[in-house]
Amino acid sequence: MFPNWQLAGLSFAYIGLLFFIAYVGDKYRHKLLRKSQAIIYALTLGVYCTSWSFLGTPGQASNNFISHLPIYLGPILLFIFAWPFIQRIIRVSLKLNLTSIADLLAARFGKSHNLAILVTIVALIGTMPYIALQLKAIVYTFQQLQAEQSLANWHFGLVVSLVLAGFTIVFGVRNIDVTERHPG
């Protein structure tokens, strides 16, 4: 258990380290992309599996020992067997300068603006539980490391959400270009 001031200091130091890594990744992106593209993709798959490993999988495995396998097998099988399909989607996206799944589906079905709105809403609703699970994992970890609880869970969750939103704005969505990469 850490005193709250020490835990807050360690958290801010960690967040600062993440911002520094993202800054360096953006600054030297042209040198990093050639060398580390495979590592970046492997790390993103690791991030995908992390929150499910922390909160989702143990609960599922306690009810049914096979139910958690699709979470890990799905991405693995997709990248092994559906790689030509993924490459085709990438080629079409680059050719038509598409930046989201909503753009892709709208372009394939007559550039329908209403379809793009519907796909965006469905994607937003579909990703909300995953984002909530990530936030829950962060809040739960912070709670377990606290010596005494001074903030309510929703206060800390709000702070974490604002920091993550700031990080996304600063390093994620500044420019929207289909060929842009974010190695940081």
Side-chain angles (χ1 to χ4, degrees):
M1 300 290 183
F2 293 96
N4 288 342
W5 67 269
Q6 192 176 23
L7 190 56
L10 288 171
S11 298
F12 283 118
Y14 179 69
I15 290 169
L17 177 66
L18 292 179
F19 271 91
F20 176 74
I21 290 170
Y23 171 76
V24 169
D26 272 354
K27 186 173 182 181
Y28 299 108
R29 90 172 99 199
H30 301 295
K31 294 178 186 178
L32 290 173
L33 278 178
R34 284 183 231 120
K35 297 177 185 176
S36 60
Q37 194 70 35
I39 293 171
I40 291 170
Y41 284 126
L43 288 173
T44 56
L45 281 176
V47 168
Y48 165 76
C49 291
T50 302
S51 72
W52 286 114
S53 302
F54 187 76
L55 288 173
T57 304
Q60 288 179 344
S62 68
N63 294 332
N64 183 355
F65 74 98
I66 294 180
S67 66
H68 67 283
L69 289 178
I71 294 169
Y72 301 108
L73 289 178
I76 292 169
L77 294 175
L78 180 73
F79 280 105
I80 291 174
F81 296 113
W83 189 246
F85 177 69
I86 294 171
Q87 285 179 323
R88 183 173 175 211
I89 290 173
I90 291 170
R91 277 195 302 275
V92 168
S93 297
L94 290 172
K95 181 180 176 184
L96 299 176
N97 198 27
L98 306 174
T99 58
S100 70
I101 189 72
D103 289 343
L104 177 67
L105 290 175
R108 298 308 273 177
F109 293 102
K111 299 202 182 260
S112 170
H113 185 68
N114 292 334
L115 178 64
I117 291 171
L118 179 66
V119 169
T120 302
I121 290 170
V122 169
L124 177 67
I125 291 170
T127 56
M128 282 301 204
Y130 183 69
I131 293 169
L133 192 60
Q134 291 280 357
L135 291 172
K136 184 177 177 182
I138 294 169
V139 170
Y140 180 75
T141 303
F142 196 82
Q143 274 182 332
Q144 295 302 312
L145 294 173
Q146 271 182 321
E148 58 193 47
Q149 198 166 353
S150 60
L151 284 175
N153 291 347
W154 72 272
H155 287 133
F156 184 68
L158 179 63
V159 170
V160 169
S161 298
L162 292 174
V163 169
L164 292 175
F167 189 84
T168 302
I169 291 168
V170 171
F171 290 104
V173 293
R174 291 177 294 182
N175 310 4
I176 297 180
D177 182 18
V178 71
T179 59
E180 184 180 32
R181 302 286 185 258
H182 300 283

